[in-house]
């Protein structure tokens, strides 16, 4: 672990792995979940060095003195501080889920600093894209042959209707994985320990996102952008990901067959086969 200072002097943690300079800055989701859940991203460090950032308040990074600094738009300055710490004129960014909101806000504010942008099963909140309940449910119905499907689908109906309880959220977890095996269950169980719930509550607080301004900025972004969707992921379903990819002049959508919300876990070889050439 390497420590460096955020934009306001906060102690932040960085985890380096692999070979092939310069490193790819990896932004975790959660939001504000320690980067440990990303693992080795399916073996990607064999092709590029990765720099996994623990956002303030998570993993090895210090808890923020000012809770408002957990807001996504303010975290952009921490990413810029990391770029400066690494001594790079431009950076390649890889972001998962909620981390994609941070990545695109960084790209909108510092377009000249972005080399390549890989958005893995991204959240689309910062861009103001709506994922409808029917699209989520239609994606979930692809799993109807799974033994856990009836209970999970009933719970998902409650989630998309806005009536979810903690039990409902727990019940839909299998939908986020291409295989509901021990590795998937362990990753899901670790979320409670690895995610800072207080920080997560602030991440998308009022004022964090300005979708119209962000979309306008992304329409001018010249960097290559890869949007990777999981075929069976109801959180970031392929139809919404296709709409998202179209926001970028050099955007490209890849749908990983049989994958859920964590495609590097579902099919490591397929994941790396897509990401390694893009980040080369």
């Amino acid at each position: 672990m390497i420590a460096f200072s955020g934009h306001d002097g906060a102690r932040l943690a960085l985890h380096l792995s692999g070979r092939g300079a310069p490193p790819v800055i990896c932004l975790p989701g959660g939001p504000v979940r320690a980067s440990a859940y990303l693992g080795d991203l399916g073996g990607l460090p064999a092709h590029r060095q990765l720099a996994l950032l623990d956002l303030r308040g998570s993993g090895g990074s210090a808890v923020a003195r000012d809770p408002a600094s957990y807001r996504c738009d303010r975290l952009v300055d921490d990413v810029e501080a990391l770029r400066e710490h690494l001594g790079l004129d431009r950076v390649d960014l890889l972001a998962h889920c909620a981390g994609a909101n941070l990545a695109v806000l960084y790209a909108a504010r510092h377009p000249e600093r972005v080399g390549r942008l890989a958005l893995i099963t991204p959240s689309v909140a910062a861009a103001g894209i709506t994922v409808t309940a029917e699209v989520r449910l239609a994606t979930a119905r692809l799993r109807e042959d799974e033994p856990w499907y009836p209970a999970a689908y009933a719970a998902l109906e409650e989630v998309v209707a806005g009536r979810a309880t903690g039990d409902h959220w727990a019940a839909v977890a299998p939908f986020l994985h291409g295989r509901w095996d021990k590795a998937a269950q362990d990753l899901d169980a670790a979320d409670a320990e690895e995610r800072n719930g207080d920080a997560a509550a602030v991440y998308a607080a009022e004022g964090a996102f300005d979708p119209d301004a962000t979309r306008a900025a992304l329409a001018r972004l010249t960097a290559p952008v890869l949007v990777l969707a999981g075929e069976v992921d109801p959180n970031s379903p392929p139809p919404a990901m296709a709409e998202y990819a179209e926001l970028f002049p050099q955007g490209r959508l890849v749908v990983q067959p049989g994958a859920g919300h964590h495609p590097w876990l579902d099919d490591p070889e397929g994941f790396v086969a897509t990401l390694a050439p893009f980040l080369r």
Side-chain angles (χ1 to χ4, degrees):
M1 186 183 80
I2 298 172
F4 71 100
S5 295
H7 67 91
D8 58 358
R11 180 182 180 275
L12 302 180
L14 180 69
H15 306 269
L16 293 175
S17 63
R19 58 182 176 83
V24 179
I25 294 178
C26 300
L27 304 177
V32 196
R33 182 173 180 177
S35 64
Y37 83 95
L38 296 172
D40 70 349
L41 286 169
L44 195 56
H47 304 271
R48 278 289 298 270
Q49 187 178 46
L50 304 183
L52 277 64
L53 174 63
D54 285 340
L55 300 180
R56 56 177 60 208
S58 70
S61 293
V63 173
R65 295 179 180 177
D66 175 11
S69 68
Y70 291 127
R71 209 173 73 174
C72 187
D73 59 321
R74 295 186 59 177
L75 293 174
V76 169
D77 291 331
D78 284 342
V79 180
E80 177 65 357
L82 175 53
R83 181 196 65 79
E84 293 175 349
H85 173 78
L86 294 172
L88 301 174
D89 289 333
R90 303 176 75 188
V91 292
D92 293 338
L93 295 174
L94 182 153
H96 175 241
C97 189
N101 293 317
L102 177 54
V104 298
L105 290 188
Y106 180 85
R109 194 179 302 175
H110 301 286
E112 74 287 356
R113 298 300 188 186
V114 178
R116 292 177 179 271
L117 188 58
L119 305 172
I120 312 304
T121 58
S123 165
V124 292
I129 292 175
T130 299
V131 184
T132 67
E134 182 48 43
V135 167
R136 295 193 195 278
L137 292 171
T139 305
R141 288 194 288 270
L142 298 174
R143 313 296 297 281
E144 62 184 357
D145 293 333
E146 299 281 2
W148 45 260
Y149 174 83
Y153 189 81
L156 183 61
E157 289 182 307
E158 296 301 302
V159 169
V160 300
R163 299 188 296 265
T165 66
D167 288 343
H168 291 128
W169 284 110
V172 302
F175 280 124
L176 297 180
H177 302 275
R179 296 185 308 275
W180 187 232
D181 55 13
K182 186 178 186 303
Q185 293 168 32
D186 287 348
L187 187 149
D188 184 68
D191 180 72
E193 291 185 6
E194 295 176 348
R195 189 166 66 96
N196 183 330
D198 292 336
V202 178
Y203 189 81
E206 184 178 357
F209 304 135
D210 182 346
D212 289 341
T214 298
R215 290 165 75 106
L218 297 181
R220 300 188 294 270
L221 186 67
T222 60
V225 178
L226 172 68
V227 177
L228 179 63
E231 178 187 21
V232 297
D233 177 17
N235 189 81
S236 307
M241 298 300 97
E243 181 181 351
Y244 192 46
E246 290 177 356
L247 297 180
F248 305 94
Q250 296 203 50
R252 177 167 67 97
L253 172 68
V254 173
V255 179
Q256 185 169 311
H261 197 57
H262 307 85
W264 66 90
L265 190 67
D266 296 324
D267 178 6
E269 293 79 10
F271 179 81
V272 172
T274 298
L275 268 293
F278 177 74
L279 294 171
R280 185 169 298 141

